[in-house]
Amino acid sequence: MTEPSRMSWKPFVDRRQLAVAGIVLAVMLFVALNVFGNLSLRSLRLDLTEHRQFTLSKGTEQLLAGVKEPITLRLYVSRALRDSNPFLGSYADRVHDLLRTYAEESGGRIAVEYLDPEQFSPEEDRAVGFGLQPVALEGGTSSGYFGIAGTNSTDDVDVLPVLSPEREAFLEYDLTRMVNNLANPNKPVVALLSSLPLNADPALQYQPWQVMQELRQLFDVRVMEGDVDRFADDVGVLMLVHPQGLSEKTQYAIDQFVLRGGKALVLVDPHSEAQALRQQQPGMPADTSSNLDRLLPAWGVDYDPDHVVGDPQSARQVQMQNGGRNQVVDYLPWLSLDRSHLAEGEVVTAELNRINLGTAGALAAHEGAGTTFTPLVRSSSKAMAIPADKVRLYPDPFALLRDYQSGGKELVMAARVSGPLKSAFGDTAPAGVETGTAHLKESTQPAQIIVIADTDLLDDRNWLSMMGQQVAVPVADNASLVANALDYLVGSEALMSLRGREVTVRPFTKVAEIRRAAESQYRAKEQELLKRLDELQGKLSSLNVSEGDDASLLTDAQRQEIDGFRSQLLDTRRELRDVQLALRQDIERLRDRTRLVNIALVPLLVAAVAIGIALVRRVRYRRRFDQAQV
């Protein structure tokens, strides 16, 4: 018998069926991975932002670890609001995820509830009772709720009435502040002495400044008025804002408070623009400066109330009329200071990114003082001291630029003072002042004082941008600087690391440098042309010629001279317009190039990499195919 022949079997594979099956499997795998990730990996994040914007700060983790009593955070999100605005629905999910992270980090001492306050339901009644504000839905026929209400075991309540996506970068700050308020119902006491209407401003319909609302979230602020004999023993920090006309009795009370261990935050100002705007007699010169000329030297601080700091490197821009045209110009006394101007390694300025000042003064260490003077906020070495009279009534930004001369050294606008002190009143109390306690000639423990030579940093206009009528978005860390200073002085550092997230302005520093260099070049040419214009107009005026003069009374030489002056005048004006146009075009071209690079370059690079990978894979595939054919 013959052996049956062996047959070779080759499985038949339909490539189309294989491709369809692969696509189906890929879709199933994609769906499965998304479901798995949505259920198991929602709390995991990869934060690649420069300042780790979406990672819980150490201050938040420290605070959550120290929570002792149970806290309940209730997130109210109306389903109708989610359905009408998917963007708000997505933001609500992110808020819920962050709240669950808080609950996990607290070890279970924080409970999170997610509630849908339907209309006419008990949940809606409770939301209204907590103080949440309704949000109008599209069409305006109904409203919903999107806010957070927190309570503790003693029925203290703190709320975020409306959650806005515009404040998403500051969500951690808002939540941590809420937890801090509920975990520590007894707030540190801050005594406030101020000549500015921080607590009830007539210009704001007797509403407090926003910085006061921020501080009251963290501190028990007691507003002091009139003469003060003595500050209570439970006062942790004395906050002096724009002190004017303080009596000797009040100054002595401040002196003794600091000597017996009290902390002080002092804000003085060579020119308070907020006060000038609120003067009852506009246009009349008024004293808008403040000083503590007896106490500051005793504390080791020199301060000049007659000069303000101007710095072209950090100057903010304003729009002014010049030659009948609106022009944008740097206003030297209005400063926007970035991280490079803030002290490193100081908890007061930790995590802050930008401070806006207005007509601030300069501080320096007093010669021979026994205290330590530590700068916190400083200018660049290009700053100059500008006489305060030039900015008090009718400041001229163009004149300040023309008169600018670099001072060649950094100027300090805020500083921390620490160490032993001696009384500014010597060995005895002032005559006629009785406090009921023995006079202190020197401090019982090292003093801690922070001095800031500007009060306008507290003004809403300098650090807030209004998003509608309900949401105020910080554009600078001014309130955080004050809160950090008070936190440092009362000894609490838990909230330090998260306040620096309250910044939305991130300018292109290189663009700003190039713009300033271009402006400097064109401004010089502009001033030269303006001077020539003045000279030509003066020559025409010297001839006493006007439009109504009889030309027949003029000699041919005079007419030729006048025509020549007028021709030069027209040419100079045209050249001036060309210079101003060139400045604007250069800045616009620089802006357009920057936008093109930032918007188009990254997608182009990604596309180029993808095309390169595709070509490499195609070459490899072709090579393998050719080898298989051989």
Side-chain angles (χ1 to χ4, degrees), residues 37 112 246 322 381 388 420 444 511:
V112 176
L246 296 182
N322 184 31
S381 59
T444 58
V511 172

Side-chain angles (χ1 to χ4, degrees), residues 180-287:
N180 180 67
N181 292 343
L182 296 172
N184 303 286
N186 297 324
K187 302 175 183 177
V189 178
V190 175
L192 173 64
L193 267 175
S194 174
S195 60
L196 296 177
L198 302 179
N199 197 50
D201 190 348
L204 301 175
Q205 298 181 347
Y206 293 95
Q207 295 295 314
W209 291 13
Q210 184 66 31
V211 69
M212 283 295 294
Q213 300 182 42
E214 298 279 334
L215 295 181
R216 287 191 185 279
Q217 304 260 358
L218 301 169
F219 308 99
D220 178 9
V221 182
R222 298 179 185 174
V223 180
M224 314 290 289
E225 296 180 353
D227 290 344
V228 178
D229 296 325
R230 189 177 188 276
F231 294 96
D233 292 335
D234 63 342
V235 173
V237 180
L238 171 61
M239 183 175 175
L240 293 174
V241 179
H242 204 48
Q244 292 180 314
L246 296 182
S247 66
E248 188 174 48
K249 179 168 61 176
T250 301
Q251 293 187 60
Y252 179 69
I254 297 171
D255 174 81
Q256 294 295 292
F257 172 80
V258 173
L259 291 180
R260 67 173 185 264
K263 311 299 192 298
L265 172 61
V266 181
L267 291 90
V268 291
D269 203 328
H271 172 55
S272 170
E273 296 186 357
Q275 186 181 51
L277 288 173
R278 290 161 176 81
Q279 292 293 342
Q280 295 182 356
Q281 297 179 345
M284 297 295 292
D287 184 12

Side-chain angles (χ1 to χ4, degrees), residues 193 237-243 246 254 258 263-269 290-292 295-296 299 301 303 363 413-415 448-455 457-458 482 485-486 489:
L193 267 175
V237 180
L238 171 61
M239 183 175 175
L240 293 174
V241 179
H242 204 48
L246 296 182
I254 297 171
V258 173
K263 311 299 192 298
L265 172 61
V266 181
L267 291 90
V268 291
D269 203 328
S290 56
N291 197 358
L292 286 175
L295 295 176
L296 287 179
W299 294 343
V301 179
Y303 157 70
L363 305 172
M413 287 83 77
Q448 291 288 348
I449 304 168
I450 294 176
V451 183
I452 303 175
D454 184 41
T455 61
L457 68 89
L458 305 176
V482 177
L486 293 174
L489 294 173

Side-chain angles (χ1 to χ4, degrees), residues 55 117 388 396 476:
T55 301
D396 184 353

Side-chain angles (χ1 to χ4, degrees), residues 29-58:
L29 180 63
F30 175 78
V31 173
L33 288 176
N34 274 273
V35 172
F36 174 77
N38 191 50
L39 295 176
S40 305
L41 305 176
R42 293 186 65 176
S43 60
L44 299 181
R45 299 178 181 179
L46 179 61
D47 190 352
L48 301 178
T49 57
E50 178 182 359
H51 300 292
R52 300 183 64 80
Q53 190 75 27
F54 304 102
T55 301
L56 287 185
S57 66
K58 293 182 179 178

Side-chain angles (χ1 to χ4, degrees), residues 407-429:
K409 66 176 183 179
E410 296 179 348
L411 300 177
V412 177
M413 287 83 77
R416 179 172 60 86
V417 180
S418 59
L421 295 179
K422 292 184 177 181
S423 174
F425 293 85
D427 295 337
T428 59

